[in-house]
Structure formats: C-alpha cells, structure tokens
Amino acid sequence: MELRQLEYFSAICDELHFTRAADKLGITQPTLSHQIKALEDELGTPLFDRIGKRIALTQAGAVLKTHAAVVFGALRSAKDQIGELHEGDRGTISVGTLPGELNHLAASQLVAFNRQFPNIKIKISAVENVAELVVNNELDAAITFMPVNDERLAALPLYEERFYLAVAPDHPLANAASVPFRDAERLPVIWFPQDHKCRQLIEATCKSSGIAMNPIIETNTIESIFSLVGSGAGVSILSKSLIQLYGSEKIRAIPIVDPVLRREVVIVHNREKFIGRPVKAFIALLQRFVEEKRIAEQGPAV
C-alpha cells in the first residue's frame, strides 16, 4: 500500500465521484481508477460500491477511511512539530563541552536560554570526545579547543584567552606586572588533575620549556582551587575565563610571559546537519556573554 494510493482514496471519499476526484488530484480518471483497483486487489475487497454514476463506501472502505484519516493526521502533526522545532517552540538541543571551565561556561547560559525558549529542553554534557559525538550527530554543537582536525566539523571562533598566575592578594607577586613561566617552577602549585585540559596544556608547555612542576595539591573542584589560592596555601595557573567567571575578586591574576600561554576556544557543529534557531540562539548567548565579560584576548595562540 502506497501513500499515494491513500491520497487518491481519500480524494474519492471527499468527492464520492471519480471524475471530480481525478480533476482535484490533477490526474486522469483512468489513472485514478487503476490505482484504486490496485489498492482493492491488494486488500482483497472492494472499497466502493459503484451504483451507476454514483459511488458509496463499502464497510471495508469506511474502515480504511478512518485509518487513512489517522495516517494523514499523523503526517500533518509531524510536519507541524518539525515546523515548531525550526521555529524554536519545542524540542531538545544537546550541547557538549570538554570537562572543566568550558562546562561551567555553557551552564552559565542555561537561565538566559530558558527565558528565551521556555519550551526547549537543553542538555549540557561534559565529555572528552565532544568532536566525535558532534560528527555522529549525538550532539548539536560542542565547545572545545583548537585545533579541530576533522573536515566534517565547522568551527566558529568563540574566544582566545591566555593563562595567568593566580596568587593571594597579599602574595609577594600580587602586584607584579608579569611573571616568567619558569619562575612558577619554584612556587607551590595547586592544580587540576592530569586528565584536565587546562593541566595538560600547562604540562605540555613545561615539557617544551624543560621545566618540571609538581603540584602540592590536586583538585578538580574549581571553588576549592580559588579558596586555597586565596588563603595563601599556594598558587595556580588558570585561564582568563575561569578567573573572570569565578575568582576575579578572590585572587590576583598576573600575566605569564616567556612563553605566553594561550588557547583558542571554538564552537563546533556538523557541516552536514541543519542548525536550528535554538542552537544558533545558544551560540549567540555564549558569544554575547564572552563579549560582556571581556574574556577574549588578542594575539596569536602559542
């Protein structure tokens, strides 16, 4: 049974006349009769009683008419709901981030997004393989770091940031204009665990610079790092976004130089997947937030 045959059948039900139904459908009457005959043969029963020039539904035809109405109703509903998804009225979007501050950045926009799209369910997932999940259409978009080495992904620049030495307000370096990266080697460092992207970037720089840093404390809780640094228990090396979001008033942030540590944050999406209005709106919220918080910094990444 083909959908086209159901459309022809429904048109005859509306008109109770083959010629008028054919005109309505824009086909010839013999073509319409042939398709209905094929449908009746498939079902093994007549759908219409033909009485002279008049026709009437058989009991089987009445049953099929009821079910055809359900089918076309479901199709219309699907079309309407898809249209609403495109308009952002309902549905779900899934955004991924790398674990850590990027997850906090995305979560910071949930309230603003909900105000704009109260009927949209948004899922924020902190996972390591965000690029893979976007490629596989398991995520609508994701916040990650450059480089993104997959031609199937489009990368939208979000911001570029540098890293700072975070110290207590009464620390001897609190008023320094800058701190050479090598000087941090002799300081008591409080760091994220080794699986944290922020820590990995710093350790890569240590390796390339011939420096060994051994943290005195490791924790994956952002609040505890700021609390420990603020109390003078040690120092940390943190991204500008983290400092802007959580600790700008609790610590002093001194620019690190020789080398300057930078990274580029981007939003990726699948080039082949339709990006609806809700996803675009969430990206716009992130971009506006970054601009308002002045997280972005100029200069090439190293």
Side-chain angles (χ1 to χ4, degrees):
M1 185 183 300
E2 298 178 359
L3 184 60
R4 180 181 58 180
Q5 291 174 324
L6 283 181
E7 291 174 342
Y8 291 171
F9 168 76
S10 296
I12 298 172
C13 290
D14 292 338
E15 300 294 335
L16 290 177
H17 194 281
F18 273 73
T19 302
R20 288 198 299 268
D23 291 340
K24 180 180 179 180
L25 293 166
I27 61 175
T28 65
Q29 192 272 332
T31 297
L32 179 58
S33 297
H34 174 76
Q35 290 295 326
I36 296 302
K37 180 64 166 59
L39 182 58
E40 291 176 329
D41 289 344
E42 181 179 351
L43 295 174
T45 184
L47 298 173
F48 299 98
D49 284 327
R50 296 162 177 82
I51 308 168
K53 293 184 179 181
R54 297 176 56 225
I55 60 173
L57 282 168
T58 63
Q59 286 186 326
V63 171
L64 183 61
K65 180 181 179 182
T66 300
H67 287 279
V70 172
V71 170
F72 290 117
L75 288 173
R76 284 192 297 271
S77 176
K79 184 178 180 179
D80 291 343
Q81 289 186 38
I82 291 172
E84 289 175 355
L85 286 174
H86 290 176
E87 292 300 319
D89 293 327
R90 65 176 65 180
T92 301
I93 67 170
S94 299
V95 177
T97 73
L98 292 171
E101 58 265 45
L102 295 187
N103 183 254
H104 290 268
L105 173 65
S108 71
Q109 301 308 300
L110 290 178
V111 173
F113 181 82
N114 181 256
R115 288 172 180 165
Q116 189 172 350
F117 296 96
N119 296 321
I120 291 285
K121 179 181 179 181
I122 181 170
K123 296 168 60 178
I124 305 292
S125 303
V127 288
E128 291 289 345
N129 59 333
V130 287
E132 177 185 344
L133 295 178
V134 173
V135 168
N136 295 335
N137 291 324
E138 296 179 48
L139 293 172
D140 295 304
I143 310 173
T144 187
F145 304 127
M146 289 294 283
V148 177
N149 300 315
D150 195 315
E151 294 182 354
R152 294 168 293 181
L153 295 176
L156 306 175
L158 187 56
Y159 61 91
E160 187 178 300
E161 65 177 347
R162 67 187 295 178
F163 283 77
Y164 292 77
L165 182 71
V167 302
D170 57 354
H171 192 278
L173 293 173
N175 296 315
S178 63
V179 177
F181 180 70
R182 183 173 292 275
D183 287 3
E185 184 177 19
R186 57 183 174 80
L187 299 174
V189 177
I190 301 169
W191 268 0
F192 292 106
Q194 289 184 323
D195 60 353
H196 196 283
K197 293 295 182 181
C198 179
R199 166 87 175 261
Q200 291 171 4
L201 173 64
I202 297 167
E203 288 193 327
T205 306
C206 287
K207 185 176 181 180
S208 64
S209 303
I211 297 172
M213 289 191 192
N214 298 307
I216 59 168
I217 300 175
E218 292 186 14
T219 175
N220 58 8
T221 305
I222 295 173
E223 290 78 7
S224 63
I225 288 181
F226 283 110
S227 177
L228 289 165
V229 171
S231 67
V235 304
S236 190
I237 298 176
L238 302 172
S239 65
K240 183 178 182 180
S241 57
L242 263 181
I243 295 170
Q244 292 286 86
L245 289 170
Y246 294 99
S248 59
E249 297 179 357
K250 303 174 184 177
I251 62 168
R252 295 289 186 270
I254 297 89
I256 295 174
V257 296
D258 300 326
V260 173
L261 279 70
R262 292 184 182 272
R263 67 181 176 190
E264 185 178 358
V265 181
V266 296
I267 302 172
V268 296
H269 65 84
N270 192 324
R271 294 183 185 273
E272 302 299 323
K273 184 175 181 179
F274 173 78
I275 302 300
R277 193 164 69 96
V279 177
K280 291 179 180 178
F282 189 75
I283 292 173
L285 285 171
L286 287 170
Q287 292 171 329
R288 184 161 58 249
F289 180 78
V290 166
E291 182 178 354
E292 290 174 352
K293 290 292 184 179
R294 299 182 179 179
I295 293 174
E297 294 179 286
Q298 301 298 318
V302 296

